[in-house]
Structures are given as structure tokens and as C-alpha cells.
Amino acid sequence: ALEAAHGLQRFTLNANIERLNTLGYPALVTFQLGGDTGVRRLAYLGRVGNIGLFGSKDLLQIPLDVIDPVWDRTATLLWKNFESLPETLARHDRGEAVMWLQVILRQMGFLNELEAPLYGPQTEKAVKQFQRVHELETTGKLDRQTQLFLYNHLDAYPIPKLADEGEPQPTG
């Protein structure tokens, strides 16, 4: 319901805390607590040193070494595809989405050529460079994970961010 009401999409990945911090989006994480407690889901909101900031009804500050053994490494992000990009853009694709990507890559310093409606070798090279810089799988294709990183590095879109590192805030 939340997704449809706000035009959001789910992106699920296997990650560690460092990867979630690199993505920069809040994420829903699942913990297997065992016994009568069972499965719990919390929103990962950021970290301060070795303390994870998690949300439920209240802000929870939990040492990451406590989280590590009970987290299954699955994280779900809700994100918005502001430009309605296809699931993947790759070499030989054509159209407005390709031109938008080229403009953004040029603005970010990854592409030197003017935009054209074809996803050619220079666009592929620029996407690979962007992926390497952000420690993504280097395919040269604009896949969903690369799109998440791209949107997150643009100021033009209202992207939710993780809490900045600083002092933990007192809880309740």
C-alpha cells in the first residue's frame, strides 16, 4: 500500500552494514532471534561508530556486534524511480532514458561526450567507471542497484538518507 501510494519500488539485496552505509538509504532488515521471539524487522537508519541506529516505534541504539549474529544479511530498500527508467539500460539501447543518463554522467564527470540517443561504448565505459568508484559490480549496464546509487548522488531528487555519524541520541 505504501509503495503504490507513493510510487515506490522494493529493492532487496544481501549486504553487510558497510554496504548499507555505502548505499545511503534507510533499509528494512530482518533478525532471526529464535525461541518465542522469532523474526523481527527493524529499519536501519545509520550508525555511530560501532552502534547501529535502528527504528521501530523508538530509536534503538544497538551495538553492531550484537546485531551481527542474528541478522540474515537481507535488506529491503524502498526507493523511487524518479525518471521511470527501465529495469536495465545497456549497450545498443536508445531513447530519452539513455540521453538523461548521459547528461547525468557528464555532469558528474564520468562522460565527456555530448548526449546522443544511443547507449554506445562511451556510455558503457562511463557507467563502468561510476560502478567502480561506488564499488558496484562493473557491468557497464545501468541496473537497479546502479540506479539507486545514481539517484542517491544527485541533489535534484528527495532521497531519504541515513543518519549522519555523530553522537548517539538519547532514547525515550
Side-chain angles (χ1 to χ4, degrees), residues 8-42:
L8 301 175
Q9 298 180 27
R10 285 179 190 245
F11 181 73
T12 301
L13 71 155
N14 289 319
N16 58 26
I17 291 293
E18 296 307 321
R19 190 65 176 156
L20 292 181
N21 286 331
T22 302
L23 273 166
Y25 286 81
L28 186 63
V29 294
T30 303
F31 301 101
Q32 303 290 335
L33 300 177
D36 293 336
T37 310
V39 174
R40 293 285 184 252
R41 290 178 183 83
L42 294 172

